[in-house]
């Protein structure tokens, strides 16, 4: 008795990862294969780089948060201690924070324009058949995009 697990038509237990396409019948894999992250086609480098734009936007958003923490603490400590070099960090951190937020907003806009459905936000608020004007305005038409736009403006 195998504990109530029934064997499938190929002889393997139900639930085992088996590729049942022609020519591969009965071949077992130990883990699911993620072919979505692999570059395909003639433009391999372009397709792989296009998937990284969303990750770049996410990274720059986290970097902007770190810069905001630096901008909020280092100049205050410098003002308290009377250190001019620490107070001079504020304008540089503000400029870098603006650039990081702008890159993040541009990456989100790119995800909406190209219909990058690897992002949950794009899946919930976009469609492939939308006109381009609605795709672009869809960037700030949701809660997350509008908050990012407000942070960029401020």
């Amino acid at each position: 008795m195998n504990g109530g697990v029934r064997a499938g038509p190929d002889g393997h237990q139900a639930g085992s990862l088996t590729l049942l396409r022609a020519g591969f019948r009965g071949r077992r894999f130990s883990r699911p294969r993620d072919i979505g992250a692999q570059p395909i086609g003639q433009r391999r480098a372009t397709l792989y780089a296009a998937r990284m734009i969303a990750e770049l936007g996410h990274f720059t958003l986290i970097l902007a948060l770190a810069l905001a923490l630096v901008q909020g603490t280092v100049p205050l400590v410098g003002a308290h201690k009377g250190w001019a070099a620490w107070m001079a960090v504020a304008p540089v951190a503000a400029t870098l924070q603006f650039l990081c937020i702008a890159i993040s907003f541009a990456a989100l806009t790119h995800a909406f324009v190209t219909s990058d459905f690897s992002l949950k936000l794009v899946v919930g608020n976009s469609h492939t058949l939308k006109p381009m004007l609605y795709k672009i305005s869809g960037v700030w038409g949701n809660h997350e995009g509008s908050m990012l736009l407000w942070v960029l403006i401020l």
Side-chain angles (χ1 to χ4, degrees), residues 112-126:
F112 269 89
V113 167
T114 60
S115 297
D116 182 7
F117 292 120
S118 65
L119 298 175
K120 187 177 178 182
L121 185 66
V122 178
V123 170
N125 296 298
S126 186

Side-chain angles (χ1 to χ4, degrees), residues 130-153:
K130 275 188 178 181
M132 187 58 67
L133 178 66
Y134 294 128
K135 284 184 178 184
I136 294 171
S137 63
V139 174
W140 59 82
N142 52 62
H143 179 72
E144 292 85 357
S146 65
M147 289 301 291
L148 187 60
L149 181 63
W150 273 108
V151 168
L152 178 66
I153 290 171

Side-chain angles (χ1 to χ4, degrees), residues 20-154:
L20 293 176
R21 283 192 268 170
F24 294 99
R25 188 169 304 275
R27 185 173 173 191
R28 298 182 76 177
F29 292 101
S30 61
R31 58 182 171 79
R33 297 177 63 187
D34 180 19
I35 61 170
Q38 296 175 357
I40 55 173
Q42 294 177 348
R43 302 178 302 154
R44 290 181 178 169
T46 304
L47 290 175
Y48 191 72
R51 291 185 60 101
M52 293 301 293
I53 291 176
E55 297 299 324
L56 176 70
H58 190 224
F59 174 73
T60 56
L61 194 60
I62 293 170
L63 189 60
L65 174 65
L67 285 168
L69 294 174
V70 167
Q71 185 184 5
T73 57
V74 172
L76 286 176
V77 171
H80 180 70
K81 301 282 186 175
W83 298 336
W86 282 37
M87 289 186 284
V89 169
V92 175
T95 304
L96 290 175
Q97 185 180 2
F98 171 76
L99 290 175
C100 286
I101 296 292
I103 291 170
S104 181
F105 189 78
L108 184 62
T109 304
H110 180 269
F112 269 89
V113 167
T114 60
S115 297
D116 182 7
F117 292 120
S118 65
L119 298 175
K120 187 177 178 182
L121 185 66
V122 178
V123 170
N125 296 298
S126 186
H127 192 271
T128 55
L129 299 178
K130 275 188 178 181
M132 187 58 67
L133 178 66
Y134 294 128
K135 284 184 178 184
I136 294 171
S137 63
V139 174
W140 59 82
N142 52 62
H143 179 72
E144 292 85 357
S146 65
M147 289 301 291
L148 187 60
L149 181 63
W150 273 108
V151 168
L152 178 66
I153 290 171
L154 294 175

